[in-house]
Amino acid sequence: MEIRHSVCALDCPDTCAVLVHVENGRATKLRGDPTHPVTRGFLCAKVTQYLEREYSPERLLYPRKRVGDKGEGRFHRISWDEAIDTIARELNRIAQEFGPESILPYSYAGTMGLLNGSGMDRRFFHRLGASRLDRTICASTGSAGLTATLGVRYGTEPEQFSESKLIIAWGANIHGTNVHLWPFIVEARRNGAKLIAIDPIRTRTAALADRHLAIYPGSDLALALGLAHVIIAENLYDKSFVTQHTNGFAEFGQLVKQYDPERVARLTGVDKEDIVQLAREYANTRPAAIRANYGIQRSEHGGAAVRAIAALPALTGSWREIGGGLQLSTSQAFHFDRAALERPDLQKKSALGREARLVNMSELGKALTQLDSPPVKAIVVYNSNPAAIAPNQNLVLKGLLRPDLFTVVLEQFQTDTADYADIVLPATTFLEHTDIYLAYGHYHLQLARPALAAAGEARSNVEIFRALAQRMGFDDPCFQDSEDELICALLGSGHPFLDGISLERLDREHSVRLNVAPPGRPFLPFAEGFGTPSGKCEFGAERLQYTPPAESRLGDHALRGKYPLEMVSSKNDDSMNSTFGHRARVDAETSLLHLHERDAVPRGIVSGDRVRVFNDRGSLLLKADVSKTVLEGVVRAPSVRWPKKSIDGRNANALTSDRLADIGGGPTFYNCLVEVERCGD
Ligand SMILES: Nc1nc2c(c(=O)[nH]1)N[C@H]1C(S)=C(S)[C@@H](COP(=O)(O)OP(=O)(O)OC[C@H]3O[C@@H](n4cnc5c(=O)[nH]c(N)nc54)[C@H](O)[C@@H]3O)O[C@H]1N2
Ligand SMILES: Nc1nc2c(c(=O)[nH]1)N[C@H]1C(S)=C(S)[C@@H](COP(=O)(O)OP(=O)(O)OC[C@H]3O[C@@H](n4cnc5c(=O)[nH]c(N)nc54)[C@H](O)[C@@H]3O)O[C@H]1N2
Ligand code: SF4
Ligand SMILES: [Mo]
């Protein structure tokens, strides 16, 4: 038996160091690397079972060409030669006839590996002159908020949470989506720390917390302003930190005067006493850390909510303390030379001769059905499953059904999206290719070499785009670059955080902490100032006025008359977006609609009933689970289900809207009004 090192490539803040037990070329077990400071020897339940996926009989092993109708899922095996030829021929034809901007790449974070997620693919599309994709589907609203307030997306190290005395899980289902933070919280609680969860759902995290504040979806901005109101009114803020390191405090102080606890209680559903108590506890307990996650920013004021929450540790001076501050993301500390990897300069050499237009991935339905000059004539999908994960699904599917749309999908499994493809190409898994990984929940940079041989004829995204570039006649030498050359380009930024981190060292050590602080010392990103142009935390009060989201219980009057329930389609604990949708257990969990007894009874619904959930955008069938885990007026559809596993070919995204959040162009998945009715057993 041999142990090989790998890195979990899934879109998760933990980015675990994985040990692969290999016998005769076949993996027998995956486990967490016990020497890794964040992985600490365990993997989550879904990846512990990843070998089921790796060796699944459903894995795509050969290139395929569609023979049935779009969406039907009938395909024939073809050779790689025929596949690459067909794609190159079609993309050339479309580029010539409609201009290269009529070609749209569509990708997100099926793998977080930089080479296979934003490497050779980016070079290829830049050289082609294809439309650029604005990758907003997950985090761009929160990123814009964090950047406006703090200047850079850094946050508290996970390792420091064990030093905290008060931890707030704010829109963060830590136990389900960020489980490697949990042991640090357990340690902190053993030393007397309290954990408080702010979430409309009683998640596993909320149930395990000392207190759970069940908040109305999308009202976090109001709560943050309410906390600031109390902290300032009761003089609990850190005057020296505020004076030295923040901008716009006077205006912020004026603004929060309007957000007294009574008003905030009406806006958020959180008791007035709880608001006052939390504000006092937060300001008086040292150190206190906020773990905010992206759950808070999938709503209409999500950007402003992140801004207001991110301002709280500046108010209390908590950034100065080990175990203080806030974490939403750590990703920007990985100061790579992205331009060297992605080569945006190649656009100048394309038929377009300039930077191509930007298409927002959260508005895919509109892009495929309404975009003009030029219309989208080809879509190349990789690392993503838009037929399942994009909002306003009915419009997305209408677009994917267009007979004149040429669709290519690089996939490991025959997803819903792959069912619409003209050509499907089999992709390798993270266990089968080389890649380099940043993390958005810690500061360790990692390298993975293939632990296993590629299944069947599967190829990595890097190999596929390299082959396509060659067939399209792109003779720039950068298309010959090896994986190692791509990594070296990326590491060559000269940023001090990457000092001394070479490919050789990564090959030797597998995981290296960025030079964010001297070895063994904690990283306090904003103790001495911020990353904004002013060097100060920007309160930005002028952007923080709160009004209830249109799609919420206090929002658009006419709309909530028709659709009185707020649907939250947050992450399922055993899923990774739609990635494990082929598993029966995951399908069972994501086919449920959790609703409160007081919403179920008047509708004649009991657990186990089939229910129809609907609004103006669509309708879907789920199974009712009358449950105490949701607030009255809220229903929860754990996501993201494979639509094709359902009777009606739809999941919760048939109901979610493609309205964008306030900043950053992100979607508003969790502000979604619906009605529910009983529909047989
Ligand atoms: N098990 C599992 N882990 C995952 C994923 C998965 O699908 N499954 N997905 C990965 C990905 S892509 C991401 S981006 C991260 C996301 O990680 P999280 O942000 O933790 O996950 P979410 O479920 O989107 O949201 C977190 C919590 O926010 C709550 N929430 C929803 N709306 C609001 C609101 O308006 N206010 C507040 N305060 N809370 C709200 C939800 O009920 C949920 O419990 O997780 C990653 N890890
Ligand atoms: N209703 C609702 N919708 C949501 C969300 C929600 O909470 N609720 N969450 C949103 C969020 S936060 C996100 S991040 C998005 C996620 O949306 P996506 O990034 O599309 O994530 P997945 O659904 O996991 O699909 C990733 C696909 O990539 C494939 N893949 C993995 N590795 C590779 C590889 O190396 N090569 C290739 N070619 N393919 C690979 C996998 O097989 C999988 O089918 O979904 C969003 N949609
Ligand atoms: S999904 Fe997250 S927790 Fe699970 S193994 Fe991968 S990185 Fe670790
Ligand atoms: Mo995400």
Side-chain angles (χ1 to χ4, degrees):
M1 198 266 289
E2 191 190 334
I3 292 178
R4 297 184 185 154
H5 284 264
S6 189
V7 178
C8 175
L10 297 182
D11 186 359
C12 169
D14 300 0
T15 314
C16 289
V18 177
L19 299 181
V20 189
H21 292 212
V22 184
E23 283 174 49
N24 304 320
R26 198 177 161 90
T28 54
K29 186 178 166 185
L30 299 187
R31 64 185 181 98
D33 185 342
T35 67
H36 192 277
V38 179
T39 305
R40 304 218 297 190
F42 75 100
L43 302 174
C44 65
K46 53 197 174 288
V47 173
T48 300
Q49 302 162 48
Y50 193 88
L51 294 178
E52 166 278 316
R53 182 176 169 84
E54 175 69 23
Y55 295 122
S56 166
E58 294 179 57
R59 261 298 285 282
L60 291 172
L61 301 177
Y62 310 103
R64 308 169 98 188
K65 174 181 162 178
R66 183 169 52 80
V67 291
D69 289 337
K70 288 197 174 189
E72 194 188 331
R74 283 201 297 129
F75 288 82
H76 270 174
R77 179 175 172 179
I78 56 174
S79 69
W80 268 105
D81 232 24
E82 183 183 346
I84 296 289
D85 259 349
T86 310
I87 298 167
R89 192 181 60 240
E90 281 301 294
L91 294 185
N92 267 327
R93 176 188 65 77
I94 290 165
Q96 262 166 31
E97 203 171 324
F98 300 95
E101 280 173 313
S102 63
I103 299 166
L104 180 69
Y106 197 93
S107 74
Y108 201 64
T111 170
M112 294 231 302
L114 284 131
L115 307 189
N116 287 285
S118 56
M120 208 48 98
D121 52 314
R122 305 296 171 98
R123 292 182 177 186
F124 175 78
F125 291 112
H126 286 147
R127 178 64 180 75
L128 182 59
S131 284
R132 288 173 304 140
L133 187 71
D134 198 4
R135 291 177 170 81
T136 57
I137 200 80
C138 171
S140 65
T141 289
S143 296
L146 210 59
T147 306
T149 300
L150 307 179
V152 278
R153 296 190 306 281
Y154 299 168
T156 306
E157 289 177 291
E159 295 94 321
Q160 283 182 42
F161 276 74
S162 58
E163 309 278 334
S164 303
K165 293 290 177 209
L166 175 75
I167 296 161
I168 302 180
W170 199 324
N173 179 15
I174 296 166
H175 210 276
T177 62
N178 175 205
V179 68
H180 289 82
L181 187 59
W182 194 254
F184 297 106
I185 295 177
V186 169
E187 219 172 298
R189 294 175 91 184
R190 219 180 280 132
N191 295 321
K194 282 212 169 72
L195 173 67
I196 297 173
I198 303 174
D199 197 308
I201 313 293
R202 195 165 185 81
T203 59
R204 227 179 324 177
T205 310
L208 288 165
D210 294 283
R211 274 212 315 283
H212 171 209
L213 307 184
I215 188 173
Y216 297 156
S219 69
D220 304 87
L221 171 57
L223 181 60
L225 297 176
L227 297 179
H229 174 102
V230 177
I231 292 171
I232 295 173
E234 299 190 358
N235 248 314
L236 303 175
Y237 63 101
D238 181 333
K239 284 163 204 80
S240 86
F241 194 87
V242 166
T243 313
Q244 274 182 64
H245 296 304
T246 71
N247 242 346
F249 178 69
E251 296 78 0
F252 185 68
Q254 279 305 321
L255 173 75
V256 303
K257 279 197 180 136
Q258 305 163 37
Y259 292 86
D260 55 89
E262 216 151 285
R263 177 170 178 227
V264 171
R266 280 195 307 276
L267 292 171
T268 61
V270 178
D271 287 346
K272 186 181 134 194
E273 293 71 30
D274 285 335
I275 297 167
V276 175
Q277 189 191 348
L278 178 60
R280 288 178 185 156
E281 264 182 302
Y282 177 65
N284 291 329
T285 312
R286 301 303 169 116
I290 300 175
R291 177 46 162 132
N293 212 331
Y294 288 103
I296 52 176
Q297 49 95 66
R298 306 191 212 290
S299 56
E300 293 173 31
H301 308 301
V306 168
R307 290 207 64 172
I309 295 167
L312 294 175
L315 211 52
T316 62
S318 169
W319 289 115
R320 284 204 256 248
E321 295 160 3
I322 298 168
L326 166 144
Q327 188 197 107
L328 174 61
S329 178
T330 58
S331 65
Q332 218 177 353
F334 297 79
H335 286 276
F336 296 124
D337 188 345
R338 290 277 194 153
L341 179 66
E342 302 179 10
R343 297 291 306 271
D345 58 293
L346 288 169
Q347 290 176 101
K348 294 224 173 62
K349 285 187 75 179
S350 74
L352 212 55
R354 58 167 166 84
E355 208 173 55
R357 72 176 170 195
L358 200 57
V359 174
N360 187 335
M361 74 185 298
S362 301
E363 298 179 306
L364 178 62
K366 284 184 198 155
L368 294 179
T369 57
Q370 293 160 25
L371 205 61
D372 229 326
S373 8
V376 176
K377 287 287 186 179
I379 181 168
V380 181
V381 181
Y382 54 102
N383 302 342
S384 186
N385 183 10
I389 61 90
N392 201 357
Q393 188 165 77
N394 285 313
L395 198 61
V396 171
L397 298 183
K398 185 176 166 199
L400 289 174
L401 263 177
R402 272 176 41 204
D404 64 324
L405 179 74
F406 178 65
T407 302
V408 179
V409 176
L410 284 60
E411 250 303 346
Q412 299 162 345
F413 278 69
Q414 189 67 32
T415 59
D416 283 81
T417 308
D419 283 349
Y420 289 87
D422 293 281
I423 305 281
V424 178
L425 301 176
T428 43
T429 66
F430 70 89
L431 295 170
E432 300 166 355
H433 55 237
T434 294
D435 218 322
I436 179 165
Y437 298 89
L438 54 66
Y440 62 94
H442 61 69
Y443 291 104
H444 304 269
L445 173 62
Q446 298 175 87
L447 173 73
R449 296 295 188 183
L452 302 173
E457 293 184 359
R459 294 188 188 174
S460 72
N461 297 342
V462 172
E463 292 173 288
I464 293 172
F465 285 105
R466 206 188 268 134
L468 271 173
Q470 193 182 13
R471 199 67 56 97
M472 303 272 292
F474 299 162
D475 52 13
D476 314 71
C478 71
F479 290 107
Q480 308 289 329
D481 279 358
S482 67
E483 277 75 351
D484 285 11
E485 283 164 329
L486 293 174
I487 294 172
C488 291
L490 200 55
L491 292 176
S493 67
H495 193 280
F497 284 5
L498 291 173
D499 248 6
I501 304 181
S502 62
L503 178 60
E504 293 69 33
R505 180 160 169 217
L506 284 168
D507 256 322
R508 225 172 28 244
E509 299 177 22
H510 315 295
S511 174
V512 177
R513 186 188 187 223
L514 296 175
N515 301 311
V516 288
R521 298 275 298 280
F523 176 42
L524 296 174
F526 305 122
E528 311 278 322
F530 291 81
T532 54
S534 64
K536 297 184 174 197
C537 172
E538 298 284 353
F539 284 110
E542 67 285 359
R543 306 294 297 273
L544 302 184
Q545 198 59 259
Y546 179 75
T547 50
E551 288 212 29
S552 74
R553 67 177 71 207
L554 301 174
D556 183 311
H557 194 262
L559 199 61
R560 63 192 153 92
K562 273 162 71 180
Y563 305 118
L565 300 171
E566 299 173 291
M567 184 184 79
V568 175
S569 52
S570 52
K571 316 304 188 180
N572 180 44
D573 284 358
D574 293 324
S575 304
M576 179 51 62
N577 304 310
S578 77
T579 294
F580 297 107
H582 65 288
R583 289 181 177 166
R585 168 163 172 198
V586 166
D587 191 59
E589 290 169 348
T590 54
S591 64
L592 296 178
L593 184 78
H594 303 283
L595 74 173
H596 193 279
E597 200 170 22
R598 281 195 290 273
D599 296 315
V601 170
R603 291 173 176 81
I605 296 168
V606 295
S607 286
D609 281 350
R610 182 175 294 162
V611 289
R612 194 169 81 89
V613 195
F614 59 99
N615 62 18
D616 287 340
R617 289 177 289 268
S619 145
L620 81 152
L621 298 173
L622 291 170
K623 195 195 261 193
D625 178 48
V626 181
S627 136
K628 292 202 166 48
T629 61
V630 291
L631 199 60
E632 187 176 354
V634 172
V635 296
R636 172 170 187 245
S639 288
V640 178
R641 192 181 193 193
W642 268 19
K644 65 201 265 184
K645 295 274 180 186
S646 69
I647 310 168
D648 49 354
R650 295 293 182 274
N651 69 16
N653 282 323
L655 308 182
T656 56
S657 129
D658 53 9
R659 178 202 296 263
L660 300 180
D662 50 353
I663 49 173
T668 52
F669 287 115
Y670 301 166
N671 277 151
C672 177
L673 287 176
V674 302
E675 180 53 296
V676 179
E677 64 185 20
R678 187 170 180 274
C679 166
D681 299 315

